[in-house]
């Protein structure tokens, strides 16, 4: 089942007057929003930060990248891989929780015991999104972790 990721309605991106798409309607619309009209392979770091309710410096720190990469080289392959991986993990988290805001909080804040108390966001920054996806698949199947 496809879910949409969203930030609170009415929050606007600094670079665009377009609001973040609202809940549970159209995942494709969210991907288009995150892509800033630059195609399906691009995710705007600024819009991704908006989705997670954080500023660009906080997002850069959480991704273990210099803020200049997010601001001046948003098309960087390394950055784009991290953003896409994080989005995949968030989407998989929605399959388990069924609710957007708790999933985003889980992604950013919840320490995961099987991963040494690291958050999902930190694990994505470390390149461990595939481990997280397997973990979430086992949770969705009903296994405790």
């Amino acid at each position: 089942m496809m879910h949409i990721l969203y930030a609170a309605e009415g929050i606007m991106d600094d670079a665009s007057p377009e609001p973040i798409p609202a809940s549970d309607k159209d995942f494709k619309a969210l991907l288009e929003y995150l892509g800033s009209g630059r195609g399906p392979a691009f995710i705007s770091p600024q819009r991704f930060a908006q989705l997670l309710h954080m500023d660009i410096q906080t997002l850069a720190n959480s991704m273990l990248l210099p803020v200049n990469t997010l601001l001046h080289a948003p098309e960087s392959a390394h950055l784009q891989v991290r953003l896409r991986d994080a989005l995949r993990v968030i989407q998989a988290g929605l399959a388990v929780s069924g609710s957007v805001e708790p999933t985003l909080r889980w992604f950013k804040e919840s320490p995961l015991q099987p991963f040494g108390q690291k958050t999902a966001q930190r694990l994505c920054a470390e390149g461990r999104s595939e481990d997280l996806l397997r973990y979430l698949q086992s949770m969705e199947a009903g296994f405790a972790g």
Side-chain angles (χ1 to χ4, degrees):
M1 181 170 159
M2 275 291 179
H3 294 277
I4 189 161
L5 309 172
Y6 82 109
E9 289 187 67
I11 292 178
M12 308 296 269
D13 183 274
D14 292 335
S16 169
E18 183 182 352
I20 296 171
S23 66
D24 296 334
K25 293 183 183 167
D26 185 4
F27 190 74
K28 184 178 176 186
L30 177 71
L31 293 177
E32 289 172 10
Y33 169 80
L34 289 173
S36 300
R38 293 172 83 177
F42 179 80
I43 298 172
S44 165
Q46 289 82 6
R47 290 183 177 200
F48 193 80
Q50 200 84 37
L51 177 71
L52 294 176
H53 304 288
M54 59 178 57
D55 61 43
I56 200 72
Q57 179 67 56
T58 304
L59 180 62
N61 292 344
S62 73
M63 297 184 81
L64 307 176
L65 292 171
V67 71
N68 284 337
T69 301
L70 280 71
L71 293 173
H72 303 296
E75 69 287 339
S76 158
H78 191 62
L79 169 60
Q80 289 297 311
V81 164
R82 286 191 184 176
L83 290 170
R84 279 191 299 275
D85 285 350
L87 191 57
R88 288 174 48 223
V89 168
I90 291 168
Q91 185 178 10
L94 283 169
V96 174
S97 78
S99 185
V100 175
E101 287 301 321
T103 299
L104 295 176
R105 277 194 305 279
W106 165 83
F107 179 78
K108 295 186 314 184
E109 300 169 5
S110 295
L112 301 171
Q113 190 274 329
F115 297 102
Q117 302 301 329
K118 293 181 182 180
T119 65
Q121 187 172 19
R122 179 61 181 227
L123 291 164
C124 286
E126 293 176 358
R128 297 192 58 200
S129 59
E130 292 301 321
D131 295 336
L132 272 168
L133 291 169
R134 284 189 294 276
Y135 172 74
L136 289 167
Q137 287 170 347
S138 74
M139 296 296 288
E140 188 176 18
F143 296 107

